[in-house]
Amino acid sequence: GGTAILCGLADYQDSTAGDPYSSSTQINDLLIKMGAKTTINSDEVYDTENNDGSPYRLKLTNVNTGSEWLKNVAAEQLYSVYSGCTVNAADENNWLVKGHSTTYSINSRVTDSKYESDVPKNGTVVEAGNACVLATEVVGQGRIFVAGTVFISNFEVKADMDSYTDLQYTNYTIISNILDSVKKQIPVSTIADVRKNGQTGDIFAIEGTVTAGSEGDNAFFDTIYVQDSTGGINVFPIANGSGINVGQKIRVVGHVDYYQGDKELKIGSGVEGYTIIDKNAAPIAPTLMSGKDAMDYDANGGMLVQVKGTVSDIVKVNGILSSFMLDDGSGVKAKVYFNGNVAAGVDESLIKEKAQLSVIGLVYMDPEGTCIRVRNGQEITQIKTEDKKPDAVEDKNPDLAVDNNVSEDTAKTSVSTGDSSNIAVYGTAAILSIVLCAAYEIVRRKKVKNEAEC
């Protein structure tokens, strides 16, 4: 019910001792036991006219474009063959790659193998134009791929090309299609589950929003951060310049690893990788936390947080800002840490002892303990003291309070009806008037007396 790839070799490499040390015997016996009709020949693919320097070193272009296994193959791609044998496809529709019209095969080594042809040494086994080098067949509930050479070697299938302009061999595209056909979708886990239950090497898939990307001011070196509704985590390695921006939604498949004590999802090979689900940016706002909560790595590691407090314990290394402490009175000071590239963007005039600052960053673990890893120097800001309104003066005798909004008619009505509060108002006003008049009279008389004496 699975998928099998079987690769033969040219008979030139067979042992002169014959069976069982011949490629055709080992491969064909296995194919027959599996119930397959496809077989390989005891021969060597050869082309004296169209080759890559040797008649057994070929680069082929004749591929079965109607096959699903050849999808995404570009017309310029070449299928690489080195010292291979020919393949007998189960039927005319099962071939995947054939040689040129000038490609044939020879009996390069005569042995007593049970699959040996009757052709003399160097005689033609498969006529020009009929040489198949890769075929497929459905066997039972599964599928086999039979090649005349090891078409998936690290020479034919390269992890990295010498130049970005170089095309991969067709071999690469074929094996990619085969792997895609058997690839299983890993279910999405919450980041909280990864952080709580993931052990080193465990593979997880997560989906979340990017809180530190690969671009610009919010970029760490080869690292991004992703957060969902349950938590956040560091994802490594993501090369700077990969086009991942803060606020985009991303799917990541990776394995659990640690760096300097910080838990992360590390992207390796195979099924591991990332896909941007939504390129539209919808950034997550940082969670405002106390210093005590922000320093709780088990609860909040990887989260985008904001802490406000008083600066102390400023540390510089070789003149470059490295860290400081932030005290918000919660009983635990929050350590604020800077990577070198981020420190360059900080307004250091703000970083003073006893300064009141707001800091945004990711909860991180390094060898010295938990800290807030600042993602952008501009996210360190001074706390603006709000203008406080003066406390209201308590009126100890409300019965004597003056209501400036009372109209003359209302006041008179209140007096006539015996409203004690308004009587008090007018009584107070009358007393003030008498005092002012008396003072004025004293000043006037003194002035007149002084003028008379003059």
Side-chain angles (χ1 to χ4, degrees), residues 209-215 218-219 244-249 279-284 304 375:
T209 301
V210 177
T211 52
S214 64
E215 310 303 308
N218 289 319
I244 302 173
N245 295 301
V246 170
Q248 292 179 331
K249 191 171 182 181
K279 292 185 178 181
N280 296 316
I284 293 176
L304 180 65
R375 64 176 184 175

Side-chain angles (χ1 to χ4, degrees), residues 310-315 323-325 333 348-357:
T310 303
V311 175
S312 67
D313 306 295
I314 301 170
V315 176
S323 67
F324 63 82
M325 305 300 286
K333 292 183 179 181
E348 292 196 36
S349 67
L350 299 175
I351 317 298
K352 300 176 181 178
E353 293 286 337
K354 298 184 179 180
Q356 300 291 309
L357 297 183

Side-chain angles (χ1 to χ4, degrees), residues 67-233:
S67 171
E68 61 179 305
W69 310 109
L70 275 300
K71 67 180 181 181
N72 300 323
V73 171
E76 299 82 7
Q77 282 181 273
L78 303 172
Y79 183 84
S80 174
V81 176
Y82 180 81
S83 191
C85 64
T86 57
V87 177
N88 303 306
D91 63 48
E92 61 182 11
N93 297 317
N94 284 346
W95 72 276
L96 298 178
V97 182
K98 288 183 178 180
H100 304 298
S101 61
T102 54
T103 305
Y104 57 101
S105 76
I106 63 171
N107 187 358
S108 61
R109 174 163 291 175
V110 178
T111 68
D112 61 356
S113 166
K114 61 182 175 181
Y115 297 102
E116 179 70 30
S117 67
D118 296 330
V119 176
K121 183 175 175 61
N122 295 328
T124 299
V125 178
V126 175
E127 297 294 332
N130 296 325
C132 173
V133 295
L134 179 64
T136 186
E137 181 185 351
V138 173
V139 178
Q141 299 298 313
R143 178 177 288 276
I144 61 169
F145 295 87
V146 181
T149 184
V150 185
F151 78 104
I152 52 176
S153 73
N154 60 3
F155 178 83
E156 277 81 13
V157 180
K158 295 183 178 181
D160 299 298
M161 302 303 293
D162 296 331
S163 170
Y164 73 93
T165 59
D166 293 343
L167 282 174
Q168 290 276 8
Y169 286 128
T170 303
N171 310 49
Y172 179 95
T173 307
I174 293 172
I175 191 60
S176 295
N177 290 334
I178 295 172
L179 291 175
D180 285 344
S181 73
V182 297
K183 183 168 62 178
K184 293 183 178 179
Q185 187 78 1
I186 298 174
V188 176
S189 299
T190 65
I191 293 178
D193 183 35
V194 177
R195 299 198 70 92
K196 181 179 179 181
N197 300 313
Q199 302 297 314
T200 301
D202 290 348
I203 296 177
F204 287 91
I206 62 168
E207 291 183 0
T209 301
V210 177
T211 52
S214 64
E215 310 303 308
D217 295 334
N218 289 319
F220 297 115
F221 178 72
D222 282 359
T223 289
I224 69 169
Y225 279 79
V226 179
Q227 185 169 317
D228 64 12
S229 61
T230 69
I233 198 164

Side-chain angles (χ1 to χ4, degrees), residues 34-50:
M34 295 171 65
K37 296 180 180 179
T38 306
T39 58
I40 65 172
N41 291 315
S42 179
D43 62 2
E44 182 172 26
V45 179
Y46 225 67
D47 196 321
T48 56
E49 297 181 38
N50 295 299

